[in-house]
Amino acid sequence: MKQNYNTMYQLEQVGKTVTLFGWVAKKRNLGGLIFIDLRDRSGVIQLALKPEDQAYSIAESLHSEDVITATGTIIERASKNQNLVTGDIEVEVTSLTVLNRAQELPFEIKNDTTALEETRLMYRYLDLRRETLKHNLLMRHRITTSIRTYLNELNFVEVETPILCKSTPEGARDYLVPSRVNKGSFYALPQSPQLFKQLLMIGGMERYYQIARCFRDEDLRADRQPEFTQVDMEMSFVNEEEVRAMTEGLLQKVMKDTLGLEITVPFPTMRYSDAMNYYGSDKPDLRFGMKLRDMTSLFHQTTFSVFRNILDDHGVIKGIVVREVANSYSRKKIDGFTTYVKRYGASNLAWLKYQEQTFTGSIAKVLSEEEQAALVRDYRLQDGDMIFIIAGKPSMVNTALGELRLHIGKDLDLLDPNEYQFLWVVDFPLFEYSEEDGRYYACHHPFTAPKDDSVAHLLTDPGKCYAKAYDVVLNGYEVGGGSIRIHQQEVQQKMFEALGMTPEVIDEKFGYFVRAFGYGTPPHGGLALGLERLTMLICKTDNIKDVIAFPKTASASDLMSESPNLVDPKQLEELHIAVTK
Ligand code: ASP
């Protein structure tokens, strides 16, 4: 069995005889001397062969990615390579065996590959040989190891919950699995183990965790996959602060164990309403400032008809101040920003440059003297500063300006991937209203406890209810979220009613759950971390596929195994399924 690894050998082992295994990463034939970079999971070590060596002819025949084993003596290198961990030494080979030949590869195994993503996904096992992906998977392993160690020490119990579950409304679309034994019935794959972990608390487990696979049939994005992993946790007899402190300790340990970073706890907290007002997002990136400024009152006497109409229509005017860019931001660049914010519903982006105590820009001519003075005074404008303004409905303005803030932040290189800014977003509303459907939905999920003073308003004034919920945010990503749960049967019933469910629907969908509440339910709460998002940030990538061994494409397919695929009609028949055209 291979027990050693390439990068364990250093100058101290000179003279030692070793047997190594691995892949031929590179072969160089320097007229008489052959050098082979032998790669294993740990990295590369150099093998050296001279024409008089017995194994020379085998070495001559080697190609990239052939699998070999070599025995030889460690010697000090004449010319050292600072870029390699094993760069001070090489192995003078005495015997060499080819364990398996490799065909010509569809792409070269190297870090800065130019191979198409599609090709790399088809041959994922080859892509995994590249340093970056290997590094990410090993990092993911370190993260889960660190998490398990932390939670085990705190007396959490790791429990597995079912993958074949009951389909429940609310939330994303379910992946369904037909039952062969129960004709016409379906299981759903879990969107999260939420109900099971709460039932584990009712079952007396007190502290639970699971590194749990979750499935959601949603449209995919750069940070979303149809199946993903949550670090799912639940605790009995806790309040919000205790769950947050436990999570902070966990993230502190993970950052220390993976990156050697000391993270300060407690993390700052921000109310949901402040996050929306100042950053236009419920997951603000705090690595830079450039907060959204409410300019509604500054423009309350505006004669500019566009602003006037919006204000008369109860809209808002908000802006961001971008320092020292007036000279460098061209018309073309600004037009690019205008196009960018259109995606978020802003039909217009007003802008101003402040140079030599004068305003120029799209709305410079409509500014009154008072407005000019107020802008300079309120935002402490200095020569070279710029202001971007969006006016309209509050939700559109916040979103569009929040996105522009991030876009400009990126453009100005303000998002340092080595900086980690954790934050709790708290005081979420319990419900959000959908104009389209004319009803309330749960902001998190229907098991989230209302704040104590909101319980009385659940049915009378849902819009005014707040939740005992918290999201942990890191560099603009929601890396986790959770809440204290409802643990009284009558409150849970009310919650379902507020969501417009009739007693029959409640009974059919959640009867078992509500029933369990009647048999002694401890107060409980928890949180789930998105393992992939956390790993992405630690690995400094913005593509979720980079931290998953076998990911799916944007159309939810696996290009390597070609799933999903058509199945034998016989299989469908057994499952009592007919596919319509
Ligand atoms: N189950 C929740 C989710 O998936 C997390 C939690 O509340 O613990 O978002």
Side-chain angles (χ1 to χ4, degrees):
M1 188 173 73
K2 178 179 187 289
Q3 270 172 340
N4 50 356
Y5 52 94
N6 286 345
T7 52
M8 69 195 255
Y9 298 114
Q10 300 296 327
L11 272 181
E12 296 80 69
Q13 282 90 26
V14 164
K16 193 175 154 95
T17 302
V18 293
T19 297
L20 303 164
F21 296 81
W23 287 258
V24 174
K26 208 191 273 171
K27 185 185 87 179
R28 278 153 305 165
N29 197 333
L30 301 182
L33 278 180
I34 295 181
F35 292 107
I36 294 163
D37 281 353
L38 181 73
R39 187 190 67 237
D40 71 0
R41 194 179 78 191
S42 74
V44 158
I45 192 166
Q46 177 163 290
L47 310 180
L49 293 105
K50 294 195 277 306
E52 58 272 28
D53 292 340
Q54 215 187 358
Y56 189 80
S57 59
I58 305 179
E60 269 187 311
S61 77
L62 290 177
H63 290 106
S64 284
E65 301 306 308
D66 284 345
V67 183
I68 61 170
T69 177
T71 300
T73 315
I74 298 195
I75 59 166
E76 183 169 357
R77 274 205 211 186
S79 60
K80 303 199 164 53
N81 181 348
Q82 303 295 334
N83 301 323
L84 267 190
V85 183
T86 55
D88 290 345
I89 54 157
E90 61 192 12
V91 178
E92 215 170 37
V93 176
T94 48
S95 81
L96 198 159
T97 310
V98 179
L99 300 175
N100 216 335
R101 297 274 183 194
Q103 298 169 16
E104 194 176 329
L105 269 63
F107 57 90
E108 201 186 330
I109 312 292
K110 59 173 190 181
N111 246 351
D112 45 353
T113 179
T114 51
L116 291 177
E117 184 174 61
E118 211 176 296
T119 317
R120 292 192 286 116
L121 286 172
M122 265 174 83
Y123 299 93
R124 186 65 168 178
Y125 43 89
L126 295 181
D127 209 22
L128 289 174
R129 289 187 198 166
R130 290 191 309 121
E131 185 53 40
T132 352
L133 283 192
K134 192 173 64 189
H135 164 271
N136 293 353
L137 284 195
L138 295 184
M139 194 57 113
R140 183 172 170 142
H141 169 70
R142 270 163 72 188
I143 294 171
T144 50
T145 306
S146 169
I147 289 171
R148 284 202 162 94
T149 310
Y150 177 84
L151 293 171
N152 292 346
E153 271 169 17
L154 286 180
N155 268 323
F156 278 75
V157 186
E158 187 169 3
V159 184
E160 286 166 279
T161 54
I163 291 292
L164 297 177
C165 302
K166 177 168 180 161
S167 175
T168 45
E170 305 287 321
R173 203 177 287 118
D174 283 329
Y175 274 101
L176 295 178
V177 181
S179 164
R180 178 181 57 82
V181 187
N182 303 286
K183 186 174 174 182
S185 298
F186 292 82
Y187 303 97
L189 302 183
Q191 296 191 20
S192 88
Q194 185 63 33
L195 294 178
F196 289 110
K197 69 173 172 176
Q198 291 194 239
L199 289 162
L200 283 170
M201 294 304 107
I202 302 177
M205 274 296 120
E206 293 196 20
R207 289 180 174 201
Y208 140 95
Y209 80 94
Q210 179 178 197
I211 307 221
R213 196 59 68 80
C214 306
F215 307 84
R216 294 183 192 173
D217 190 359
E218 291 177 303
D219 292 336
L220 307 180
R221 295 192 303 230
D223 65 345
R224 235 193 226 164
Q225 283 270 306
E227 52 180 307
F228 59 95
T229 304
Q230 282 188 349
V231 179
D232 195 40
M233 299 168 274
E234 197 74 8
M235 302 160 88
S236 291
F237 313 112
V238 284
N239 59 29
E240 287 172 75
E241 286 69 33
E242 285 161 326
V243 179
R244 276 167 27 195
M246 182 280 293
T247 310
E248 287 167 346
L250 185 152
L251 290 166
Q252 199 177 31
K253 178 169 165 60
V254 167
M255 298 309 280
K256 174 96 187 143
D257 289 352
T258 54
L259 297 173
L261 275 184
E262 297 288 352
I263 299 289
T264 314
V265 297
F267 303 157
T269 57
M270 191 184 290
R271 305 194 60 195
Y272 168 81
S273 54
D274 288 341
M276 296 310 288
N277 281 336
Y278 295 125
Y279 298 92
S281 161
D282 58 359
K283 38 184 187 296
D285 192 329
L286 295 189
R287 283 174 296 174
F288 68 109
M290 214 188 280
K291 281 190 195 174
L292 277 48
R293 323 270 189 154
D294 195 337
M295 302 179 171
T296 312
S297 59
L298 192 151
F299 283 111
H300 76 286
Q301 284 184 322
T302 185
T303 49
F304 176 41
S305 63
V306 177
F307 282 3
R308 189 71 266 154
N309 292 341
I310 286 170
L311 290 183
D312 292 344
D313 204 19
H314 306 291
V316 294
I317 301 174
K318 291 177 82 165
I320 49 174
V321 179
V322 189
R323 305 286 176 196
E324 296 177 44
V325 291
N327 295 328
S328 55
Y329 273 5
S330 63
R331 241 344 257 274
K332 191 163 160 231
K333 186 145 204 155
I334 297 167
D335 288 346
F337 294 155
T338 309
T339 314
Y340 186 76
V341 295
K342 284 213 166 79
R343 288 191 214 171
Y344 302 98
S347 49
N348 249 309
L349 176 67
W351 59 276
L352 292 166
K353 285 187 172 183
Y354 184 64
Q355 287 158 308
E356 294 170 12
Q357 304 191 358
T358 314
F359 283 101
T360 54
S362 71
I363 55 163
K365 290 208 174 65
V366 301
L367 291 181
S368 68
E369 266 178 34
E370 292 76 36
E371 286 163 349
Q372 294 192 21
L375 286 172
V376 175
R377 184 190 62 230
D378 292 359
Y379 306 122
R380 297 203 182 85
L381 294 188
Q382 300 282 334
D383 197 79
D385 291 348
M386 274 192 80
I387 304 179
F388 292 95
I389 299 173
I390 297 179
K393 272 195 175 171
S395 59
M396 179 283 287
V397 171
N398 281 340
T399 307
L401 206 53
E403 292 293 340
L404 181 66
R405 169 184 175 268
L406 285 175
H407 191 67
I408 292 182
K410 264 182 218 142
D411 181 65
L412 296 175
D413 243 347
L414 301 176
L415 308 179
D416 179 357
N418 296 310
E419 193 185 333
Y420 290 89
Q421 291 285 353
F422 284 97
L423 164 80
W424 286 109
V425 177
V426 297
D427 294 346
F428 282 91
L430 190 61
F431 302 101
E432 59 196 354
Y433 190 72
S434 157
E435 300 272 346
E436 210 179 311
D437 302 348
R439 55 159 283 201
Y440 283 99
Y441 283 91
C443 260
H444 277 80
H445 50 61
F447 318 106
T448 305
K451 295 247 184 205
D452 295 337
D453 50 9
S454 292
V455 179
H457 311 295
L458 275 180
L459 294 175
T460 48
D461 203 352
K464 285 229 173 74
C465 293
Y466 285 89
K468 289 186 181 174
Y470 30 77
D471 275 1
V472 57
V473 172
L474 173 59
N475 293 2
Y477 283 88
E478 181 199 321
V479 289
S483 58
I484 297 302
R485 324 299 181 185
I486 297 171
H487 73 282
Q488 298 110 319
Q489 208 169 30
E490 37 329 326
V491 181
Q492 187 63 67
Q493 284 278 4
K494 265 196 204 160
M495 180 74 186
F496 286 142
E497 272 173 57
L499 292 170
M501 288 188 217
T502 61
E504 293 74 39
V505 171
I506 301 173
D507 193 52
E508 188 206 320
K509 299 291 180 191
F510 298 109
Y512 70 103
F513 187 63
V514 179
R515 222 166 3 261
F517 276 50
Y519 297 103
T521 300
H524 60 285
L527 176 128
L529 295 174
L531 179 62
E532 283 87 6
R533 288 189 190 159
L534 185 62
T535 310
M536 281 163 73
L537 287 158
I538 289 177
C539 292
K540 308 181 207 303
T541 170
D542 53 14
N543 185 349
I544 194 168
K545 295 194 200 85
D546 289 348
V547 299
I548 298 178
F550 299 103
K552 302 215 167 30
T553 62
S555 56
S557 37
D558 172 359
L559 298 180
M560 183 184 64
S561 69
E562 298 182 331
S563 83
N565 60 337
L566 297 176
V567 295
D568 198 312
K570 182 132 191 318
Q571 281 177 289
L572 288 179
E573 206 178 300
E574 268 179 1
L575 292 168
H576 325 287
I577 294 223
V579 178
T580 53
K581 289 273 178 271

